[in-house]
Amino acid sequence: MQHPYLPRTLPVKLEILIEFALDLRWTWSHAGDALWQTIDPEIWERTQNPWMLLQNVSKERLETLVQDQTFLNKLAELKRERTQYYSQEGWFQCEYPDCQLGTVAYFSMEYGLGEALPIYAGGLGILAGDLLKSASDLNLPLVGIGLLYQQGYFRQLIDAQGVQQAFFPYNEPASLPIRPALDKQGNRLTIVLELPARDLFLRVWEVQVGRVSLYLLDSNDLMNSPVDQAITAELYGGGQEMRLLQEIVLGIGGWRLLEALDIKPEICHLNEGHAAFVALERIRAFQASHHVTFEEALWATRAGNVFTTHTPVSAGFDRFSPELIHQYLSEIIQTLGIPFNQFLALGQTSVENPDESFNMTYFALRTCAAANGVSRLHGQVSQQLFHQLYPHWPIGEVPVGYVTNGVHVPTWDSSFTDALWTRVCGKGRWAGKVDALRTQIAGIQDDVLWTFRGESRTKLVHYVRQRISEQLGLRRAPGNEQILVHNIFDPNTLTLGFARRFAEYKRPNLLLHDPDRLIRLLTNSHHPVQLVIAGKAHPADKEGQRLVQEMANFVRRPEVREHMVFLADYDMAMAEQFVQGVDVWINTPRRPWEACGTSGMKLLANGGLNLSELDGWWAEAYTPEVGWALGDGQTHTEPEWDAVEADELYGLLEKQIIPEFYQRDERGIPLKWVARIRVSMATLAPEFSSNRMLRDYVENYYSPAISHSRQRSSNHAAVAKELAHWQQQLAQHWSTIYMQNFQVESSESGYRLTLHVYLDELSAEFVNVEIFADAQDNNNFFCHIMERKAALPGAVNGYIYETTVPADRPADHYTPRLVPDHCHANIPAEEAHIKWYR
């Protein structure tokens, strides 16, 4: 029988393999690995891609397998396992049996699901992929929206001079585990966008990620001009205009895709500002269907939008010139019924700066009712970054929360890890609550943990030797170099790992600050150390490429080449090997530029430990029992601080880490080291899993958003209309309201405070008068609503407000302020007016 998505015929008994191969659950459920290995060991070893395997295995081999009862039994067993996974109720149904969440639409510019679908560049995409996988495990009603790139992120080769060479392989859709999306009539789905003087035709592809569908938009359609075909040619490629077009395709095209499939999401989750134009199209669609004004549609739709920012510096925000925005969006903006400058102001600091670039992050903040950073520290950094949008509010009240990222453990654990956790915690441990895992892992015996780590390290050593051999062969290295491969690394030696994007702020070469000291560390005959390095520099980042070359040339020095390697072409497949095998993961960003960083989380379940700057996730995860911290937890801008931390890095390795690894009992077990592994696995692995992360999003963001969105949209958007009127009244009268005669009197119960407030013609129900005191002198932040009492004689809409506050701090710490108030509004995210007394 011929399958429409496979350019060959499979025997009837093997047709189920197509369904298995197109379900990317195989990227984390390895139940079928042995089966794919049986079909064709060589193809499986080279590709680790079932879809490619089915396209390339010989017809004769397939005919043989049909007669192989042992293979057919394995196939039936895999089918039963898969059926069981899909038939189980997930965490969401068990935890919220009466909650109708509706659909969450997750928009991201990149997704890292596996090397079989190379449409990611780094941590942002891998985080998005891990979130989809956890949504499948937890059975959360979620769909993903992204782009299918003709070229994914570049592949890396290091030449004989240590220079990074970049190559861009073509993503042939037929070789990817995807299928064309179909419309309701069964025809291939095409989305059309109106661009200046032409239409843009977008093909749609569907990726099955377990229970979750990911839809990818692709402009490589012959109906488009060659220029428009190239819109989705390259991830993060091209100039500003191409980037704007990609973001229009993702946001506006993504919403229209959902409409075409009759998917009605109640929540749109924007993974970075790249996706912000979905908010624009959602507003436009709501206006058209409900016949409301732009302001009313904004209030109605904003409640259902959640924005996650990953950027710790303002230079990382996407910005576009007003002229470019006008060129591509003016026609859509016209349909909104608002002046172009009013729309433009949504992406600018304020209406007073009409020539300022349009900032996608600002636009996302103003069109989403809730926003979050990706670690506790990053949430605080984001509050500082966005303070200028809420200039009169205290930084601590800037409306950005945080959900610390997590990793999808089944994707990143080794076969040794999976076997150990399954024996101790059971098979479905990552499909529900993970609270009980801590106690179960804490009971693992020392010898079991140490044996498990030895097996993991040995596997990494074999992988390193294989990759180095391949690299030397690619650049035709001399025979004497290739012979040395067999001496590289030792399975019993402390193995350190460092792998990430080579960018200056990540300080990838901090380890090279004192080369001689590093060499002494690596070559110590009694306590040897080996170090595996990998990472790419962006093709436009010259400084990053210089750092790559410096590192690549250092590892070729004769005295270190057996103890330190640089593996080219870092990708997800290589990352899996690293995080499963290394003993200590080193991370050296310049604080606070690492928004979260998830690479170190991938070691946790595998028994690896972390040595990291107190930045991102490690700033909240670190305790002395689970790893080691670099730095003093403060931000330093002085250049000489790098030298200080380099010295500290060497010192930690020399005085603590290396001695502890080699301090063994009579059985050869480093008891203190193993105790550290046990605590790290038990406490950190569950906490920094994408299971916990997604449950946080459901409980703290999705669930409230659903409630507010439904309130505002029901009854012909009555609440949204009320909110728009309320905001219009605030804007009209805010400049004329004022406060006078603030009085403080001491009483037995504290300070009695009174204040006169004149509200012009603004309803007193539209505002709150608060007493505020900032955290200082060992006193906590304090905010208390004053009570409206009598009207002021002779005044129009003037009132006396009063309250009593504790006298546990000086009276002059307390300051009155006036803020908007509405039971259905999120203050100050959606309405940022504020007025302070004097």
Side-chain angles (χ1 to χ4, degrees), residues 68-107:
D68 185 341
Q69 192 57 48
T70 301
F71 177 82
L72 295 178
N73 290 342
K74 286 183 181 177
L75 190 60
E77 183 182 339
L78 184 61
K79 183 177 180 181
R80 284 193 296 272
E81 186 274 338
R82 188 168 181 267
T83 300
Q84 183 181 14
Y85 176 83
Y86 283 101
S87 63
Q88 290 174 338
E89 280 195 324
W91 163 84
F92 181 73
Q93 287 71 28
C94 296
E95 195 72 14
Y96 296 92
D98 301 322
C99 177
Q100 296 298 316
L101 182 63
T103 300
V104 177
Y106 186 81
F107 289 76

Coordinates of all heavy atoms in Angstrom, one line a residue, residues 68-107:
D68 N 9.6 -12.2 9.7 CA 10.4 -12.3 11.0 C 9.4 -12.2 12.2 O 9.0 -11.1 12.5 CB 11.5 -11.3 11.1 CG 12.4 -11.5 12.3 OD1 11.9 -12.1 13.3 OD2 13.5 -10.9 12.3
Q69 N 9.0 -13.3 12.8 CA 8.0 -13.2 13.8 C 8.5 -12.5 15.0 O 7.7 -11.8 15.7 CB 7.5 -14.6 14.2 CG 6.3 -14.6 15.1 CD 5.1 -13.9 14.4 OE1 4.7 -14.1 13.3 NE2 4.4 -13.0 15.2
T70 N 9.8 -12.6 15.3 CA 10.3 -11.9 16.5 C 10.2 -10.4 16.3 O 9.8 -9.7 17.2 CB 11.8 -12.3 16.7 OG1 11.9 -13.7 16.9 CG2 12.4 -11.5 17.8
F71 N 10.5 -9.9 15.1 CA 10.3 -8.5 14.8 C 8.9 -8.1 14.9 O 8.6 -7.0 15.4 CB 10.9 -8.2 13.4 CG 10.7 -6.8 12.9 CD1 11.6 -5.8 13.4 CD2 9.6 -6.4 12.2 CE1 11.4 -4.5 13.0 CE2 9.5 -5.0 11.8 CZ 10.4 -4.1 12.2
L72 N 8.0 -8.9 14.3 CA 6.6 -8.5 14.4 C 6.0 -8.5 15.8 O 5.2 -7.7 16.1 CB 5.7 -9.5 13.5 CG 6.0 -9.5 12.0 CD1 5.2 -10.6 11.3 CD2 5.7 -8.2 11.4
N73 N 6.6 -9.3 16.6 CA 6.2 -9.3 18.1 C 6.7 -8.0 18.7 O 6.0 -7.4 19.5 CB 6.8 -10.5 18.8 CG 6.1 -11.8 18.4 OD1 5.0 -11.8 17.9 ND2 6.8 -12.9 18.7
K74 N 7.9 -7.5 18.4 CA 8.4 -6.3 18.9 C 7.5 -5.1 18.4 O 7.2 -4.2 19.1 CB 9.8 -6.0 18.4 CG 10.9 -6.9 19.1 CD 12.3 -6.5 18.5 CE 13.4 -7.3 19.2 NZ 14.7 -6.9 18.6
L75 N 7.1 -5.2 17.1 CA 6.2 -4.2 16.6 C 4.9 -4.1 17.3 O 4.4 -3.0 17.6 CB 6.0 -4.5 15.1 CG 5.3 -3.4 14.2 CD1 6.2 -2.1 14.2 CD2 5.2 -3.9 12.8
A76 N 4.3 -5.3 17.6 CA 3.1 -5.3 18.3 C 3.2 -4.8 19.8 O 2.4 -4.1 20.3 CB 2.6 -6.8 18.4
E77 N 4.4 -5.1 20.4 CA 4.7 -4.6 21.7 C 4.8 -3.1 21.7 O 4.3 -2.4 22.6 CB 5.9 -5.2 22.2 CG 6.3 -4.8 23.6 CD 7.6 -5.4 24.1 OE1 8.0 -6.5 23.5 OE2 8.2 -4.9 25.0
L78 N 5.4 -2.5 20.7 CA 5.6 -1.1 20.6 C 4.2 -0.4 20.4 O 3.9 0.7 21.0 CB 6.5 -0.7 19.5 CG 6.9 0.8 19.3 CD1 7.5 1.3 20.5 CD2 7.8 1.0 18.1
K79 N 3.4 -1.0 19.6 CA 2.0 -0.5 19.4 C 1.2 -0.5 20.7 O 0.5 0.5 20.9 CB 1.3 -1.4 18.3 CG -0.1 -0.8 17.9 CD -0.7 -1.6 16.8 CE -2.1 -1.1 16.5 NZ -2.7 -1.9 15.4
R80 N 1.4 -1.5 21.5 CA 0.6 -1.6 22.8 C 1.2 -0.5 23.7 O 0.4 0.2 24.4 CB 0.8 -2.9 23.4 CG 0.0 -4.1 22.8 CD 0.0 -5.3 23.7 NE 1.3 -5.9 23.8 CZ 1.9 -6.8 23.0 NH1 1.1 -7.2 21.9 NH2 3.1 -7.3 23.2
E81 N 2.5 -0.3 23.7 CA 3.0 0.8 24.6 C 2.5 2.1 24.1 O 2.2 3.0 25.0 CB 4.6 0.7 24.5 CG 5.3 1.6 25.4 CD 5.5 3.0 24.9 OE1 5.5 3.2 23.6 OE2 5.7 4.0 25.7
R82 N 2.5 2.4 22.8 CA 2.0 3.7 22.3 C 0.6 3.9 22.6 O 0.1 5.0 23.0 CB 2.3 3.7 20.8 CG 2.1 5.1 20.2 CD 2.6 5.1 18.8 NE 2.4 6.4 18.1 CZ 1.4 6.7 17.4 NH1 0.4 5.8 17.1 NH2 1.3 7.9 16.8
T83 N -0.2 2.8 22.4 CA -1.7 2.9 22.7 C -1.9 3.3 24.2 O -2.8 4.1 24.5 CB -2.4 1.6 22.3 OG1 -2.2 1.4 20.9 CG2 -3.9 1.7 22.6
Q84 N -1.1 2.6 25.0 CA -1.3 2.9 26.5 C -1.0 4.4 26.8 O -1.7 5.0 27.6 CB -0.3 2.0 27.3 CG -0.5 2.1 28.8 CD 0.5 1.2 29.5 OE1 1.4 0.7 28.9 NE2 0.3 1.1 30.8
Y85 N 0.1 4.9 26.2 CA 0.4 6.3 26.4 C -0.7 7.2 26.0 O -1.1 8.2 26.8 CB 1.7 6.7 25.6 CG 2.1 8.1 25.7 CD1 2.9 8.6 26.7 CD2 1.7 9.0 24.7 CE1 3.2 9.9 26.8 CE2 2.1 10.4 24.7 CZ 2.9 10.8 25.8 OH 3.2 12.1 25.9
Y86 N -1.3 7.0 24.9 CA -2.4 7.9 24.4 C -3.7 7.7 25.1 O -4.6 8.6 25.1 CB -2.6 7.7 22.9 CG -1.5 8.4 22.1 CD1 -0.4 7.7 21.6 CD2 -1.5 9.8 21.9 CE1 0.6 8.3 20.9 CE2 -0.5 10.4 21.3 CZ 0.6 9.7 20.7 OH 1.6 10.3 20.1
S87 N -3.9 6.5 25.7 CA -5.2 6.3 26.4 C -5.2 6.8 27.8 O -6.3 6.9 28.4 CB -5.5 4.7 26.3 OG -4.5 4.0 27.1
Q88 N -4.1 7.1 28.4 CA -4.0 7.5 29.8 C -4.5 9.0 29.9 O -4.2 9.8 29.0 CB -2.6 7.4 30.3 CG -2.1 6.0 30.5 CD -0.7 5.9 30.9 OE1 0.1 6.8 30.7 NE2 -0.3 4.8 31.5
E89 N -5.2 9.2 31.0 CA -5.5 10.6 31.3 C -4.3 11.3 31.8 O -3.4 10.6 32.5 CB -6.6 10.7 32.4 CG -8.0 10.5 31.9 CD -9.0 10.9 32.9 OE1 -8.8 10.7 34.1 OE2 -10.1 11.5 32.6
G90 N -4.1 12.5 31.4 CA -2.9 13.2 31.9 C -3.0 13.9 33.2 O -4.1 14.0 33.8
W91 N -2.0 14.6 33.6 CA -2.0 15.3 34.8 C -3.1 16.4 34.8 O -3.8 16.6 35.8 CB -0.6 16.0 35.0 CG -0.7 17.2 36.0 CD1 -0.6 17.1 37.4 CD2 -0.9 18.6 35.7 NE1 -0.7 18.3 38.0 CE2 -0.9 19.3 37.0 CE3 -1.0 19.3 34.6 CZ2 -1.0 20.6 37.1 CZ3 -1.2 20.7 34.7 CH2 -1.2 21.3 35.9
F92 N -3.3 17.1 33.7 CA -4.2 18.1 33.6 C -5.7 17.6 33.9 O -6.4 18.3 34.6 CB -4.2 18.9 32.3 CG -5.1 20.0 32.2 CD1 -4.9 21.2 32.8 CD2 -6.3 19.9 31.4 CE1 -5.8 22.2 32.8 CE2 -7.2 20.9 31.3 CZ -6.9 22.1 32.0
Q93 N -6.0 16.5 33.2 CA -7.4 16.0 33.4 C -7.6 15.5 34.9 O -8.7 15.7 35.4 CB -7.6 14.8 32.5 CG -7.8 15.3 31.0 CD -6.5 15.7 30.4 OE1 -5.4 15.3 30.8 NE2 -6.6 16.6 29.4
C94 N -6.6 15.0 35.5 CA -6.7 14.5 36.9 C -6.7 15.7 37.9 O -7.5 15.6 38.8 CB -5.5 13.6 37.2 SG -5.5 12.1 36.2
E95 N -5.9 16.7 37.6 CA -5.8 17.8 38.5 C -6.9 18.8 38.4 O -7.4 19.4 39.4 CB -4.5 18.5 38.3 CG -4.0 19.4 39.4 CD -3.6 18.7 40.7 OE1 -3.4 17.5 40.6 OE2 -3.5 19.4 41.8
Y96 N -7.4 19.0 37.2 CA -8.5 19.9 36.9 C -9.7 19.2 36.2 O -10.0 19.5 35.0 CB -8.0 21.1 36.0 CG -6.9 21.9 36.7 CD1 -5.6 21.6 36.6 CD2 -7.3 23.0 37.5 CE1 -4.6 22.4 37.2 CE2 -6.3 23.8 38.1 CZ -5.0 23.5 38.0 OH -4.0 24.2 38.6
P97 N -10.3 18.3 36.8 CA -11.4 17.5 36.1 C -12.5 18.4 35.6 O -13.2 18.0 34.7 CB -11.8 16.5 37.2 CG -11.4 17.1 38.5 CD -10.2 17.9 38.2
D98 N -12.8 19.5 36.3 CA -14.0 20.3 35.9 C -13.6 21.5 35.1 O -14.4 22.4 34.8 CB -14.7 20.7 37.2 CG -15.2 19.5 38.0 OD1 -15.6 18.5 37.4 OD2 -15.1 19.6 39.3
C99 N -12.3 21.7 34.8 CA -11.8 22.9 34.1 C -11.8 22.7 32.6 O -11.2 21.7 32.2 CB -10.4 23.3 34.6 SG -9.8 24.7 33.8
Q100 N -12.4 23.5 31.9 CA -12.4 23.5 30.5 C -11.4 24.6 30.0 O -11.7 25.7 29.8 CB -13.7 23.8 29.9 CG -14.8 22.7 30.2 CD -14.4 21.4 29.7 OE1 -14.0 21.2 28.5 NE2 -14.6 20.4 30.5
L101 N -10.1 24.1 29.9 CA -9.0 25.1 29.6 C -9.2 25.7 28.2 O -8.8 26.8 27.9 CB -7.7 24.5 29.8 CG -6.5 25.4 29.5 CD1 -6.4 26.5 30.6 CD2 -5.2 24.6 29.6
G102 N -9.8 25.0 27.3 CA -9.7 25.4 25.9 C -8.3 25.1 25.3 O -7.5 24.4 25.9
T103 N -8.0 25.7 24.2 CA -6.7 25.5 23.6 C -5.7 26.6 23.8 O -6.1 27.8 23.8 CB -6.9 25.3 22.1 OG1 -7.8 24.2 21.8 CG2 -5.6 25.0 21.4
V104 N -4.5 26.2 24.2 CA -3.4 27.2 24.2 C -2.6 27.1 22.9 O -2.2 26.0 22.5 CB -2.4 26.8 25.4 CG1 -1.2 27.8 25.4 CG2 -3.2 26.8 26.7
A105 N -2.4 28.3 22.3 CA -1.6 28.3 21.1 C -0.3 28.9 21.4 O -0.2 30.1 21.9 CB -2.3 29.2 20.0
Y106 N 0.8 28.2 21.2 CA 2.1 28.6 21.6 C 2.9 29.0 20.3 O 3.1 28.2 19.4 CB 2.8 27.4 22.3 CG 4.2 27.7 22.9 CD1 4.3 28.3 24.1 CD2 5.3 27.4 22.2 CE1 5.5 28.6 24.7 CE2 6.6 27.6 22.8 CZ 6.7 28.2 24.0 OH 7.9 28.5 24.6
F107 N 3.3 30.3 20.3 CA 4.0 30.8 19.1 C 5.5 31.0 19.4 O 5.9 31.7 20.3 CB 3.4 32.2 18.8 CG 2.0 32.1 18.2 CD1 0.9 31.9 19.0 CD2 1.8 32.3 16.8 CE1 -0.4 31.8 18.5 CE2 0.5 32.2 16.3 CZ -0.6 32.0 17.2

